[in-house]
Amino acid sequence: MDEETLARSIHASVLGGESGAARRLAESALEAGVPPLRIMDHFLHGIREVGRLWEEGEYFLPELVSGAESVLAALGVLRPALGGRKSSPCGHVAVIGTVAGDIHDIGKSLVGTLLMARGFEVEDLGCDVPPEAFLSAVKERDASVVGISALLTTTMVRQREVVRLLEAAGLRSQVKVLVGGAPVTESWVREIGADGTAKDAVGAADLAGRLLGLA
């Protein structure tokens, strides 16, 4: 398979949300000697297109999520070949998760997908994540951004706990903290010492880029 055909096939696997095909394409491209960063770039072009279609209302949540899952499947194959901690095109890792006691997942997952579309490598910790797990992931992945989601007023206090742990560990200066969720306000951001919030997933991804000087 020539690289133009490979690129078209990869884009189709992402746009179609075909995780199995994406994984197989990543494997065959590596076996053919295509540089892993170049392979990953083809997948990122695909997820950027998915993000664009979602922002324009042509794609909906299922297509957005399945597109992201296909890229993550490929990344699982490519990560050992990429090596190093910061293999993302923009040179940054983002850690995201929903706080302990909260199982709301959709908003956080959308942010992760759009960060990926902007070139971040995304470490998604999932839901019901203890503050200590955010800290550990930031340390282990040398993250530049941490996104902390909370959809309930009873759980948003965990966002403050994550910020305090980062401060106590001396990591606060190296990582930008974004907080999100229905109860989060600008005054809450200031109160807990975070770096910002946004009204939607697109705004959150854009804000992460601006805070790191990428936009």
Side-chain angles (χ1 to χ4, degrees):
M1 183 186 302
D2 61 68
E3 193 159 346
E4 183 178 346
T5 303
L6 172 67
R8 286 199 304 268
S9 299
I10 287 174
H11 294 168
S13 74
V14 178
L15 291 170
E18 300 171 358
S19 297
R23 187 181 301 107
R24 290 191 295 273
L25 285 164
E27 290 170 346
S28 61
L30 282 177
E31 290 171 1
V34 181
L37 278 175
R38 193 181 303 163
I39 301 168
M40 194 63 213
D41 191 50
H42 292 317
F43 280 101
L44 289 173
H45 279 304
I47 197 63
R48 289 188 191 104
E49 180 66 8
V50 170
R52 183 188 68 79
L53 291 169
W54 181 73
E55 289 175 22
E56 294 180 358
E58 294 187 42
Y59 269 19
F60 299 96
L61 181 60
E63 290 85 1
L64 186 64
V65 172
S66 63
E69 288 174 346
S70 68
V71 176
L72 290 173
L75 183 58
V77 173
L78 296 172
R79 186 176 281 132
L82 287 165
R85 288 185 173 179
K86 287 191 174 180
S87 56
S88 65
C90 76
H92 293 285
V93 174
V95 169
I96 63 171
T98 303
V99 296
D102 198 322
I103 59 171
H104 293 83
D105 193 49
I106 293 175
K108 177 267 299 174
S109 297
L110 291 177
V111 172
T113 300
L114 295 174
L115 284 171
M116 191 188 305
R118 285 158 175 77
F120 285 81
E121 184 176 349
V122 177
E123 181 77 14
D124 188 341
L125 303 179
C127 302
D128 196 20
V129 181
E132 296 79 9
F134 283 99
L135 175 63
S136 295
V138 168
K139 286 180 178 179
E140 291 170 7
R141 301 306 312 280
D142 194 19
S144 303
V145 174
V146 58
I148 316 165
S149 178
L151 272 290
L152 305 171
T153 55
T154 53
T155 60
M156 64 187 290
V157 291
R158 303 281 193 275
Q159 294 175 330
R160 188 204 304 270
E161 293 175 24
V162 176
V163 175
R164 287 178 173 172
L165 284 175
L166 291 169
E167 290 172 345
L171 297 173
R172 185 63 185 88
S173 61
Q174 81 170 44
V175 62
K176 302 298 182 183
V177 178
L178 305 184
V179 292
V184 173
T185 62
E186 291 291 347
S187 62
W188 175 246
V189 171
R190 292 190 295 272
E191 180 180 333
I192 68 174
D195 292 296
T197 189
K199 65 179 182 179
D200 55 29
V202 174
D206 288 344
L207 177 59
R210 289 198 305 274
L211 288 171
L212 294 173
L214 302 176

